[in-house]
Amino acid sequence: MNEINEIWDSVLAQMAEEISAVSFETWIKTVEPVEIKGNEIVLSVKNSLNKNMLVTKFRSMLESCIEMAAGRTYELNVTVEAELPGTSAAADSGEEFASGLNERYSFDNFVVGGNNDLAYSTALAVTETPGRKYNPLFLYGGSGLGKTHLLQAIGNKFHELYPNKKVLYTTSEKFTYELVNAIREKSNREFRNKYRTVDLLLVDDVQFLANKEVTQEEFFHTFNAIYDAGNQIVLTSDRLPSETPHLTDRIKGRFSMGLLADVQPPDYETRIAILKSKIENEYFTFDEEIIEYVANNIRSNVRDLEGAVKRILAYAGIERTNTISIELAQKALKEIISTLPKRNITISVIIDEVEKYYHLPSGSLVTKKRSNDIAYPRHIAMYLAREVLDESYPRIGEEFNRDHSTVMSAVKKVRKSLQGDKELAEKLEDLVNNIRKN
Ligand code: ADP
Ligand code: MG
């Protein structure tokens, strides 16, 4: 094990003694030691909230723990993961074309089971006879169940089969964002050119078109242009068009006129098959017993299954063992299971907790009121939704009945005032602790 990891292990042990368990879990355990660079120890954290907490609240404690561990002083250099080049989600997961496609997703590495076979076979059919059979194909189902994977696989296969045709993958949020920019910059013509002339349009997460009338209007025309030209559209959503509130009837009508195919959580056999496929290229071998243990304990979705495998592999790496014991798997899963409650945290939980914290009547943060006693906590709640939940600006805007630019500027404001404001850092720490108890 290299020096930085040894030092960091000792720092963790010391910090665990110094601060509360919740603070430790939230602020310290999430830190990744990166490297020692001259007089600096480089650490990486998930977001600016974690960074601000480290530098405003824990810096001196950390520096003295580091000194104890290393026998000399180092300065802290804290970087935010998303800001490091090459570590964004897209860069992390493979190459990206201008088409928005990511080669990581294919039909070959998609495991088919009773929970997703309709979605899989219709997706494949679309690449074989685009524009003809199922148009649009509408894939729907819960989070982490493979919708984006299938959508991307369609795009990649299509590109392989028809290299001269145009494919475009986008999300409804990106579509909205680009439309808003096009309107502002009076570049509607380029926008239309980009979207209406493709042979295959893939739009992820269309549930976020809800409430956005102007975008729905534009999307309706985009849809028609592509459809009328005999080209193919594939959409995904977390629910059926008919169950999506605040979509215009004509959009719902368009979405439902092809085929609606659902993806469900994987059953036990499919979970086993997925786990096997995720570890087949790994250096470590997993006994059947361990695969069964994971499949029995992680039932929610494929994303969590992948997370479980990654954890186990990371533990095996740390313990420098090449055989994975059931104890090791249990230890690794305990972590995941203990972070699972996080799944219950939603924007509305954050709103509730912030209202309680500031002694505001329930619901006041989502009203239109602008007085300072409400506006300030509202900014804090928006900031937390962004940093704790990693929610997108449009999603947060929806919950607060504001547009995404309002949310962006609120988040920016809080970020700025956090710099050096120890009191605010402490308030946020309390708030996050309250939120995580949910
Ligand atoms: P969704 O878009 O439905 O939230 P994703 O497509 O992002 O879910 O899937 C989450 C993760 O699980 C991705 O890494 C994806 O590759 C993987 N995944 C989902 N379903 C399968 C499957 N059937 N076989 C293999 N990997 C899968
Ligand atoms: Mg998705």
Side-chain angles (χ1 to χ4, degrees), residues 374-406:
I374 292 188
Y376 182 68
R378 182 183 294 133
H379 290 173
I380 300 276
M382 289 175 170
Y383 173 81
L384 290 170
R386 176 72 193 166
E387 299 290 31
V388 175
L389 290 185
D390 214 15
E391 285 285 8
S392 69
Y393 292 116
R395 262 294 294 136
I396 299 170
E398 232 164 69
E399 295 271 341
F400 285 89
N401 297 314
R402 296 293 194 286
D403 65 34
H404 77 281
S405 57
T406 310

Side-chain angles (χ1 to χ4, degrees), residues 390-425:
D390 214 15
E391 285 285 8
S392 69
Y393 292 116
R395 262 294 294 136
I396 299 170
E398 232 164 69
E399 295 271 341
F400 285 89
N401 297 314
R402 296 293 194 286
D403 65 34
H404 77 281
S405 57
T406 310
V407 181
M408 266 166 103
S409 81
V411 171
K412 213 157 129 195
K413 250 185 229 160
V414 178
R415 254 183 215 158
K416 193 144 174 242
S417 49
L418 241 183
Q419 282 164 16
D421 184 344
K422 206 165 166 176
E423 210 175 300
L424 177 58

Side-chain angles (χ1 to χ4, degrees), residues 228-259:
D228 293 343
N231 291 324
Q232 177 73 44
I233 301 158
V234 187
L235 309 163
T236 75
S237 174
D238 67 353
R239 67 196 78 178
L240 281 165
S242 58
E243 286 167 4
T244 314
H246 310 298
L247 275 189
T248 60
D249 286 341
R250 58 181 196 170
I251 279 273
K252 280 187 197 167
R254 286 291 183 277
F255 286 0
S256 313
M257 67 196 245
L259 186 90

Side-chain angles (χ1 to χ4, degrees), residues 288-299:
E288 202 68 22
E289 182 196 9
I290 291 173
I291 294 175
E292 285 167 14
Y293 176 76
V294 179
N296 271 321
N297 283 282
I298 311 284
R299 295 153 181 257

Side-chain angles (χ1 to χ4, degrees), residues 344-402:
N344 299 331
I345 302 178
T346 57
I347 299 179
S348 67
V349 168
I350 291 183
I351 292 174
D352 283 352
E353 289 296 341
V354 173
E355 283 168 350
K356 261 191 247 160
Y357 190 84
Y358 287 97
H359 308 291
L360 296 169
S362 170
S364 34
L365 293 188
V366 297
T367 60
K368 288 275 170 207
K369 277 193 200 133
R370 285 156 178 260
S371 56
N372 216 9
D373 56 328
I374 292 188
Y376 182 68
R378 182 183 294 133
H379 290 173
I380 300 276
M382 289 175 170
Y383 173 81
L384 290 170
R386 176 72 193 166
E387 299 290 31
V388 175
L389 290 185
D390 214 15
E391 285 285 8
S392 69
Y393 292 116
R395 262 294 294 136
I396 299 170
E398 232 164 69
E399 295 271 341
F400 285 89
N401 297 314
R402 296 293 194 286

Side-chain angles (χ1 to χ4, degrees), residues 143-144 146-149 169 204-205 236 303:
S143 168
K147 300 182 299 296
T148 297
H149 189 132
Y169 166 92
D204 214 350
D205 291 322
T236 75
R303 190 172 290 132

